[in-house]
Amino acid sequence: MALPTLTPEQRAEALAKAAEARKARSELLASIKSGKESIDSVLNRAKEDKTVGKTKVTQLLKAVPGLGAVKVAALLEQTGIDPDRRAAGLGERQREALINALK
């Protein structure tokens, strides 16, 4: 499948949109890391907030202080969540299991 040909204006617009999304995601992860936001509140708004919804659960969990790659992998395996799952793709039971496992 070939990529669509974009005009220079469309390309610039797409690049700006992507940069904005990366900035928003970076701010979200920084707020989790600093403790301003809890992982439960972030996961609970994943369906409404596009920035949260499109972020991988693994990335969100690694931003939690005290959780590294090994603990996150074990947590995801324990709760039965695919490591490539995005936050908006979590089911209600998966989200609850993840929040309860973090307590």
Side-chain angles (χ1 to χ4, degrees):
M1 185 171 150
L3 293 173
T5 306
L6 300 177
T7 65
E9 295 84 23
Q10 290 173 320
R11 182 172 168 74
E13 191 176 305
L15 287 171
K17 187 177 176 185
E20 191 176 310
R22 283 193 301 274
K23 184 176 184 239
R25 194 166 24 259
S26 173
E27 289 171 356
L28 169 70
L29 295 175
S31 71
I32 293 171
K33 194 170 284 200
S34 69
K36 288 181 187 171
E37 290 194 67
S38 69
I39 192 72
D40 341 8
S41 68
V42 170
L43 287 175
N44 285 328
R45 70 171 205 258
K47 297 284 185 196
E48 303 88 41
D49 188 340
K50 280 187 177 182
T51 302
V52 177
K54 290 186 174 187
T55 306
K56 290 191 177 187
V57 176
T58 307
Q59 261 189 316
L60 291 172
L61 291 175
K62 284 181 184 177
V64 176
L67 289 183
V70 173
K71 286 183 182 177
V72 167
L75 189 62
L76 291 176
E77 188 174 323
Q78 171 191 339
T79 54
I81 299 171
D82 182 27
D84 291 330
R85 175 77 61 191
R86 298 193 184 270
L90 289 177
E92 192 62 38
R93 288 189 188 137
Q94 287 178 318
R95 188 170 36 260
E96 286 176 17
L98 193 55
I99 291 170
N100 289 336
L102 287 169
K103 290 182 182 178

